[in-house]
């Protein structure tokens, strides 16, 4: 019966979310390194009606054409891997189905009788599943949401997500993009295989897969100079490999951060363009209003010219009439003309400012 271990792992998953990451071990030995720089017998390459898997341009590209079921690729390693730190960089393509997802496998037992999967999807969610006796069990979420839970650390679709698992004595810490997510406990597995899972109607690209073991395990032998030198060289080489792998992980994280910033800048530019569009519309409105005002002004000037002409004709009767009504009329019309000109100048100034802002 596996009911008790599964319940125990679920309980510890909940408690670990409250306590934070549990593993403090150091992983200082390179156990496995894959950058997909060249074809390898370790990873399946195939092309058929269901799958198109190729290693190309430093990536392992997996397209699952089948829209019904996922597919699992196991690494063709010489033997199982025990407690370790597993790090992989995976990107899901944008133009795939809404349910597209991919992830990594670890502690996989022979004939898939046991093991774990950590997957990410297009919706910035992740989930952890356990294979127990050939059946999937959710260690995150529930049956209703298929185990998927929100992941603030996940990147937008089309950008790499770095999935990291630390394993020690049945305890597992899960990180996504260097941010701790959760822990769980399952003591049944001591070692197992690793691999990649790609969901139905999904295309994913794997940038690298690294496995770091606990160490260091090499000690120089003091009585034999040659052995000492060889051992020291091996330690040095191992350290360089570790540093290189860590540098790649850090660089990929930095690239992801830059891509995030780039997306934010694109959104900001889009907002600015929308704002500019609004300004452009406002400018057109103001230009239309200005033209209308100019037309009105021209009409007023014609009317005023006519009235002034009439006024000149009436001036000779002014003294005879003994009043100043025509004089008052001219003054009023002059004031109206001045007001209209001031409005025009104000509109022209607003139009000038808006055009400068647009530039």
């Amino acid at each position: 019966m596996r009911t008790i271990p599964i319940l125990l792992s679920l309980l510890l998953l909940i408690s670990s979310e409250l306590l934070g990451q549990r593993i403090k071990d150091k992983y200082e030995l390179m156990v496995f390194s894959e950058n997909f720089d060249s074809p390898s017998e370790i990873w399946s390459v195939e092309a058929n009606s269901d799958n198109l898997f190729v290693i190309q341009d430093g990536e392992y590209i997996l397209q699952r054409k089948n829209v019904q079921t996922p597919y699992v690729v196991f690494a063709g390693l010489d033997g199982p891997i025990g407690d370790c730190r597993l790090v992989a960089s995976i990107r899901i393509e944008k133009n795939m189905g809404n349910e597209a997802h991919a992830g990594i496998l670890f502690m996989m037992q022979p004939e898939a009788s046991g093991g774990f999967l950590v997957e990410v999807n297009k919706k910035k969610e992740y989930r952890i599943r356990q294979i127990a006796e050939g059946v999937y069990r959710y260690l995150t979420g529930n049956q209703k949401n298929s185990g998927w839970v929100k992941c603030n650390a996940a990147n937008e679709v089309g950008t790499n997500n770095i999935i990291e698992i630390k394993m020690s004595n049945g305890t597992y810490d899960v990180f996504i993009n260097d941010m701790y997510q959760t822990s769980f406990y399952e003591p049944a597995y001591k070692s197992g295989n690793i691999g990649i899972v790609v969901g139905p109607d999904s295309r994913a690209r794997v940038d690298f897969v690294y496995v770091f073991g606990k160490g260091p395990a090499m000690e120089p032998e003091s009585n034999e100079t040659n052995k000492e030198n060889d051992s020291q060289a091996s330690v040095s080489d191992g350290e360089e490999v570790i540093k290189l792998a860590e540098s790649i992980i850090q660089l990929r994280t930095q690239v992801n951060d830059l891509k995030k910033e780039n997306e934010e800048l694109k959104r900001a530019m889009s907002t600015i363009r929308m704002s500019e569009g609004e300004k452009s519309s406002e400018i057109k409105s103001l230009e239309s209003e200005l033209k209308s005002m100019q037309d009105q002004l021209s009409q007023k000037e014609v009317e005023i010219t006519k009235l002034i002409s009439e006024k000149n004709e009436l001036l000779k009767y002014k003294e005879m009439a003994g009043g100043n009504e025509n004089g008052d009329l001219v003054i009023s019309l002059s004031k109206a003309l001045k007001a209209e000109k001031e409005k025009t100048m104000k509109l022209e100034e607003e139009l000038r400012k808006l055009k400068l802002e647009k530039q």
Side-chain angles (χ1 to χ4, degrees), residues 319-334:
E319 292 180 0
M320 294 173 56
N324 61 355
E325 294 176 358
N326 290 309
D328 291 341
L329 176 61
V330 172
I331 292 170
S332 297
L333 288 172
S334 297

Side-chain angles (χ1 to χ4, degrees), residues 192-207:
N193 199 2
I194 62 172
I196 301 166
V197 57
V198 57
D201 191 24
S202 302
R203 183 166 62 242
R205 295 174 180 262
V206 185
D207 190 32

